[in-house]
């Protein structure tokens, strides 16, 4: 092992959504900042859409499931005891490389669920606290949307909305018939040239990476700015554990470099940005005599309260051609009609309805084979033609409430390529989530029929949908009931900060990337404002 | 009968040409060349399938071939699904096929797609009823 005496001011672990935002924010302080990222950079020329076989490649080395990809830079995840399989990307940009870029914010009510609905806990911060950071994040990332949505606090996205296309218009007609809310989605995809990047080309499969750079992943938004301002980004560096000194302060991290050689990097401040699974994994793997149950875990809550979001989908088949495979698959329009609590529905909290476009021809044909709706043989062409590009879908993204039995632990046997214990997920959907999804699927069927669909299929919660990794190192004011305080500092280790989705107290009912990044910017700003007495 | 003819008959059974001639059959889209790009992993599975179909498969009627492949799909579901995925992957990359179904030929980048912007006046009912849709203040 190489023990470096070199001490950096700030060490960030993870170069994804939150790590990139914090690195950029802190870079105006003049502090020496290093970020360690276990994966590498993706060359945009390597994304599947550069090849004719863009669909099949999306199921291989660019698959959303790390257990399917199995890259050396991935760590395996044991999902055997989980009803939902976690997905991610490990590399510069983190899961923004493969995300759908649907970019709604949590609602003001999401921060006050205990007060409003008597469930879970309130956050120690509120929407108003994060509002300026949402705005700043939208500006740096490049967000398209339409001002004026009555279901959200006022905001002005920096770019006009993405094209709705025939899918959006068709489903919107259904919402209008029922008198339900809908609005063009806020999307981290640029509808016009912005900040040196050219606009989205409507390639379609955003969730296998964007060759054009129209999708706002942090490798092309925050990172170039942060590196230009002096942040050092070290790739292929996999952290094993965070070390503490005799005073119980973090003194640095042990990590493996690209050659598999163990290194030690000293630091004054350590910031964890490894997502809701990676962060508890490393904290639990950082045991010492002072922290025998894992670092920053005196509450016993590190790894607990894992939330994913229950996800269901309704798919409608239309007589008219909708050009479904064209355009950003996950970003079109959304509905918040059932977002806020209405106890007459039989559950608390609510869900977002995310209208999405269809799939490419290979996925259509294979899904048709598996469901029996598109046979092989002489009837293949007619069945295919009836379905391909004739589909609109509604994703139901339901709020998942925190439950301590849903958790991340260290697998006793499974390890990554450096021998570091892999995370094991234990997760079961709560009764409230299941009722919510059942309600959402029924409402989805209702609206898609109102839009004109003549055949409807629905299902959920679906298993390989664990994009949103939340709650495993929750924020709070009580050290017995939370892992970090109201500005992300560990209650137990005063120079250790957590800025990723782990700190979410509750999940809201929308995709969390925007709120994760707003929290990261807020915490970075709090660090800057408290530099003089940061460890008091 | 050679493996080639059995494979050709299998491909024609899985995806025959359309009656109007617009869509080619799967045996007309260069599956041999496609297989080369898939490496060693596919060959044993394909050989196993061809062996199960038997040398006389290519001489059977279309109905008899369909029946035999149906039996194969039931007895070897994973093997069959793997083969079908390869056949569809090759088929739906073919320029003629893509042209016929309205998908850009070759890599989708940098060609991209045109998408209708959509009519935002459709939001008028939502805006008119905005009080009904107001988000909840804590």
């Amino acid at each position: 092992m190489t023990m470096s005496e070199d001490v950096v001011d700030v060490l960030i672990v993870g170069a994804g959504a939150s790590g990139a935002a914090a690195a950029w924010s802190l870079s105006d302080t003049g502090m020496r900042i290093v970020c360690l990222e276990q994966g590498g950079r993706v060359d945009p020329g390597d994304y599947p859409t550069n090849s004719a076989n863009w669909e099949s490649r999306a199921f291989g080395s660019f698959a959303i499931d790390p257990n399917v990809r199995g890259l050396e830079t991935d760590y395996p995840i044991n999902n055997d005891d989980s009803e939902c399989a976690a997905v991610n990307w490990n590399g510069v940009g983190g899961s923004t490389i493969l995300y759908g870029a649907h970019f709604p914010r949590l609602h003001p009510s999401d921060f006050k669920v205990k007060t409003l609905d008597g469930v879970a806990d309130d956050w120690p911060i509120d929407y108003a606290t994060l509002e300026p950071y949402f705005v700043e994040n939208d500006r740096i990332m490049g967000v398209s949307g339409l001002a004026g949505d009555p279901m959200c606090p006022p905001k002005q996205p920096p770019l006009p909305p993405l094209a709705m296309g025939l899918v959006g218009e068709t489903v919107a007609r259904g919402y209008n018939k029922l008198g339900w809310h809908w609005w063009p989605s806020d999307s981290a995809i640029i509808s016009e040239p912005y900040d040196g990047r050219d606009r989205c080309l409507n390639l379609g499969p955003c969730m296998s990476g964007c060759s054009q750079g129209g999708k706002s992943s942090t490798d092309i938004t925050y990172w170039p700015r942060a590196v230009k301002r002096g942040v050092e980004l070290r790739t292929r560096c996999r952290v094993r554990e965070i070390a503490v000194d005799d005073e119980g302060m973090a003194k640095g991290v042990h990590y493996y470099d690209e050659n598999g050689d163990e290194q030690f990097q000293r630091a004054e401040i350590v910031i964890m940005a490894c997502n809701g699974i990676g962060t508890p994994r490393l904290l639990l793997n950082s045991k010492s005599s002072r922290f025998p149950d894992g670092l920053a875990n005196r509450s016993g809550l590190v790894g607990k309260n894992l939330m994913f979001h229950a996800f269901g989908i309704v798919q409608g088949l239309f007589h008219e051609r909708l050009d479904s495979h064209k355009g950003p698959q996950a970003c079109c329009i959304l509905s918040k009609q059932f977002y806020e609590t209405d106890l007459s529905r039989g559950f608390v909290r609510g869900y977002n309805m995310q209208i999405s476009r269809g799939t490419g021809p290979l996925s259509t044909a294979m899904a048709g084979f598996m469901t029996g709706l598109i046979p092989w043989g002489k009837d293949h062409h007619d069945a295919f033609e009836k379905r391909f590009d004739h589909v609109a879908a509604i994703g139901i993204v339901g709020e998942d409430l925190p439950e301590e039995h849903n958790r991340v632990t260290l697998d006793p046997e499974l390890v990554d390529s450096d021998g570091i214990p892999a995370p094991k997920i234990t997760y079961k959907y709560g009764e409230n989530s299941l009722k919510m999804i059942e309600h959402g699927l029924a409402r989805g069927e209702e609206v898609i029929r109102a839009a004109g669909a003549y055949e409807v299929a629905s299902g959920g919660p679906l298993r390989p949908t664990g994009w949103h990794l939340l709650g495993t190192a929750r924020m709070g004011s009580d050290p017995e009931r939370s892992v970090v305080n109201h500005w992300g500092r560990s209650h137990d280790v005063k120079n250790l900060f957590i800025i990723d989705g782990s700190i979410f107290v509750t999940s809201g009912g929308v995709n969390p990337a925007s709120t994760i990044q707003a929290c990261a910017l807020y915490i970075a700003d709090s660090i800057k404002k408290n530099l003089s007495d940061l460890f008091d | 009968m050679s493996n080639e003819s059995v494979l050709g008959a299998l491909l024609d059974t899985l995806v025959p040409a359309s009656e109007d001639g617009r869509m080619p059959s799967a045996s007309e889209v260069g599956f041999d060349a496609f297989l080369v790009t898939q490496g060693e992993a596919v060959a044993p599975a394909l050989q196993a399938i061809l062996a199960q179909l038997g040398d006389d498969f290519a001489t059977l009627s279309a109905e008899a071939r369909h029946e035999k492949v149906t039996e194969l799909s039931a007895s070897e579901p994973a093997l069959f699904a793997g083969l079908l995925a390869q056949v569809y992957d090759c088929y739906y990359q073919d320029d003629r096929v893509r042209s016929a179904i309205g998908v850009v030929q070759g890599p989708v980048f940098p060609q991209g797609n045109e998408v209708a912007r959509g009519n935002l006046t459709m939001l008028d009912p939502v805006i008119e009823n905005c009080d009904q849709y107001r988000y909840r203040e804590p």
Side-chain angles (χ1 to χ4, degrees):
Chain A
M1 179 177 69
T2 305
M3 291 283 288
S4 170
E5 288 307 310
D6 180 33
V7 184
V8 300
D9 296 312
V10 180
L11 181 67
I12 300 172
V13 185
S18 63
W24 170 79
S25 175
L26 291 168
S27 64
D28 65 4
T29 60
M31 292 194 290
R32 185 168 168 218
I33 303 167
V34 168
C35 178
L36 300 179
E37 167 53 53
Q38 67 187 317
R41 287 180 181 276
V42 185
D43 179 341
D46 289 338
Y47 284 127
T49 46
N50 290 283
S51 315
N53 61 344
W54 47 271
E55 280 197 274
S56 52
R57 284 191 62 207
F59 295 109
S61 56
F62 282 90
I64 58 174
D65 184 340
N67 295 339
V68 172
R69 286 194 307 268
L71 303 178
E72 194 184 350
T73 48
D74 288 316
Y75 55 87
I77 299 175
N78 183 344
N79 292 309
D80 292 348
D81 289 337
S82 176
E83 292 181 344
C84 181
V87 299
N88 67 16
W89 177 262
N90 297 301
V92 178
S95 295
T96 66
I97 295 293
L98 298 186
Y99 74 161
H102 200 239
F103 221 60
R105 303 173 182 179
L106 259 64
H107 278 205
S109 65
D110 289 322
F111 297 87
K112 302 289 179 195
V113 300
K114 181 76 170 178
T115 300
L116 291 171
D117 298 315
V119 294
D121 284 296
D122 290 348
W123 290 50
I125 57 174
D126 58 14
Y127 182 90
T129 304
L130 290 181
E131 204 273 342
Y133 303 100
F134 278 123
V135 173
E136 186 162 46
N137 191 53
D138 284 359
R139 180 178 64 83
I140 303 291
M141 289 290 280
V143 172
S144 301
L146 184 68
D149 184 352
M151 280 298 282
C152 299
K155 57 185 163 58
Q156 178 61 61
L159 289 156
L162 296 176
M164 290 200 293
L166 297 173
V167 167
E169 281 200 348
T170 301
V171 181
R173 275 197 288 276
Y175 279 102
N176 282 349
K177 271 187 192 170
L178 296 174
W180 290 356
H181 168 267
W182 67 277
W183 204 259
S185 292
D186 286 341
S187 310
I189 295 173
I190 54 173
S191 56
E192 292 180 353
Y194 185 75
D195 196 26
R197 297 157 52 200
D198 207 352
R199 70 167 180 88
C200 168
L201 287 175
N202 298 307
L203 302 179
C206 309
M207 285 176 282
S208 58
C210 182
S211 306
Q212 162 77 346
K215 187 176 80 170
S216 304
S217 49
T218 60
D219 59 325
I220 59 170
T221 57
Y222 277 109
W223 274 117
R225 292 166 182 256
V227 169
K228 194 174 176 184
R229 295 208 302 205
V231 177
E232 181 186 348
L233 174 55
R234 294 183 201 159
T235 59
R236 301 295 299 271
C237 292
R238 176 179 273 153
V239 173
R240 185 188 73 210
E241 63 181 280
I242 303 106
V244 290
D245 62 18
D246 294 340
E247 307 299 316
M249 299 283 275
K251 64 179 181 183
V253 303
H254 295 274
Y255 71 95
Y256 297 99
D257 66 17
E258 188 170 3
N259 302 315
D261 295 329
E262 186 179 340
Q263 308 284 349
F264 184 76
Q265 177 61 58
R266 293 176 62 89
E268 298 288 351
I269 299 170
V270 174
I271 298 177
M272 303 298 293
C274 313
N275 78 42
I277 288 179
T279 287
R281 175 197 185 207
L282 287 185
L283 294 176
L284 293 171
N285 201 45
S286 302
K287 291 178 182 166
S288 61
S289 56
R290 190 178 281 267
F291 296 102
D293 298 321
L295 192 60
N297 194 24
R298 287 190 177 135
S299 65
L301 291 175
V302 170
K304 293 182 179 172
N305 296 303
L306 173 66
M307 297 171 283
F308 282 116
H309 282 139
F311 183 82
I313 195 152
V314 177
Q315 199 173 61
L317 192 62
F318 293 78
H319 290 296
E320 63 271 29
R321 189 177 176 110
L322 301 181
D323 285 345
S324 316
H325 80 282
K326 300 176 181 176
Q329 194 177 359
C331 295
C332 185
I333 63 173
L334 87 171
S335 171
K336 299 273 188 68
Q337 179 70 28
F338 304 101
Y339 194 84
E340 306 284 3
T341 293
D342 178 345
L343 292 177
S344 69
R345 296 175 193 145
F347 54 87
V348 291
R349 310 304 301 153
Y351 56 87
N352 151 47
M353 302 172 94
Q354 179 180 349
I355 285 63
S356 60
R357 307 176 207 255
T359 58
L362 172 60
S363 302
T364 301
M366 279 311 291
F369 164 65
M370 288 186 277
T371 55
L373 295 171
I374 304 179
W376 53 269
K378 65 182 173 52
D379 296 326
H380 178 79
H381 296 300
D382 285 347
F384 179 90
E385 192 169 324
K386 200 169 88 172
R387 292 180 179 275
F388 177 65
D389 264 358
H390 289 70
V391 163
I394 301 176
I396 310 296
V397 181
E399 173 156 359
D400 193 10
L401 292 170
E403 298 180 87
E404 285 193 21
H405 59 84
N406 288 332
R407 63 193 186 276
V408 178
T409 53
L410 296 180
D411 193 282
E413 295 173 6
L414 193 64
V415 294
D416 66 23
S417 58
D418 287 308
I420 303 170
K424 173 179 166 60
I425 312 299
T426 305
Y427 179 87
K428 190 173 173 55
Y429 289 108
E431 193 181 331
N432 195 67
S433 294
L434 295 175
K435 285 181 181 171
M436 193 184 298
I437 288 298
E438 185 182 359
H439 186 274
L441 294 176
R443 298 294 80 72
E445 289 189 19
E446 200 175 338
V447 72
I448 214 153
R449 284 193 194 283
Y454 68 92
E455 184 184 305
V456 177
S458 65
L462 303 178
R463 184 172 164 76
T465 56
W467 282 102
H468 307 155
L469 312 173
L470 308 169
T472 50
R474 67 199 321 217
M475 185 184 260
S477 51
D478 180 356
E480 300 293 318
R481 296 294 307 146
S482 57
V483 177
V484 297
N485 70 5
H486 67 286
W487 49 291
R489 190 179 72 178
S490 158
H491 290 301
D492 302 342
V493 184
K494 296 202 169 173
N495 64 340
L496 177 71
F497 293 80
I498 302 175
I499 61 170
D500 55 55
S502 307
I503 64 174
F504 275 40
V505 181
T506 52
S507 68
V510 291
N511 320 57
S514 170
T515 308
I516 288 172
Q517 291 186 298
C519 285
L521 291 175
Y522 155 70
I523 293 169
D525 214 28
S526 300
I527 291 173
K528 290 190 281 190
K529 287 174 179 167
N530 290 284
L531 271 180
S532 60
D533 54 358
L534 195 60
F535 308 142
D536 289 348
Chain B
M1 287 292 164
S2 68
N3 260 2
E4 264 178 48
S5 58
V6 176
L7 175 60
L10 172 61
L11 293 171
D12 286 340
T13 304
L14 292 174
V15 188
S18 62
E19 286 178 5
D20 61 7
R22 202 166 60 94
M23 306 294 290
S25 103
S27 68
E28 299 174 73
V29 297
F31 191 68
D32 287 349
F34 172 83
L35 279 180
V36 172
T37 68
Q38 301 304 297
E40 296 293 316
V42 180
L46 181 60
Q47 289 306 321
I49 285 172
L50 297 181
Q52 285 204 36
L53 292 175
D55 287 346
D56 65 344
F57 180 75
T59 65
L60 301 176
S61 68
E63 290 74 20
R65 287 182 198 168
H66 190 93
E67 193 173 325
K68 198 149 189 177
V69 176
T70 301
E71 286 169 12
L72 176 75
S73 69
S75 62
E76 299 283 358
L79 202 61
F80 180 76
L83 171 72
L84 194 65
Q86 298 288 334
V87 172
Y88 284 165
D89 190 8
C90 174
Y91 188 76
Y92 285 108
Q93 284 184 54
D94 182 77
D95 285 349
R96 281 170 299 170
V97 173
R98 284 194 171 174
S99 177
I101 63 175
V103 175
V104 295
Q105 298 177 14
V108 65
F109 176 78
Q111 301 173 83
N113 292 299
E114 285 301 318
V115 175
R117 291 223 56 84
N119 179 5
L120 290 177
T121 65
M122 290 179 70
L123 278 168
D124 289 349
V126 180
I127 295 166
E128 284 163 17
N129 291 315
C130 65
D131 287 344
Q132 179 190 328
Y133 302 126
R134 186 69 57 192
Y135 65 93
R136 187 181 182 198
E137 286 283 9

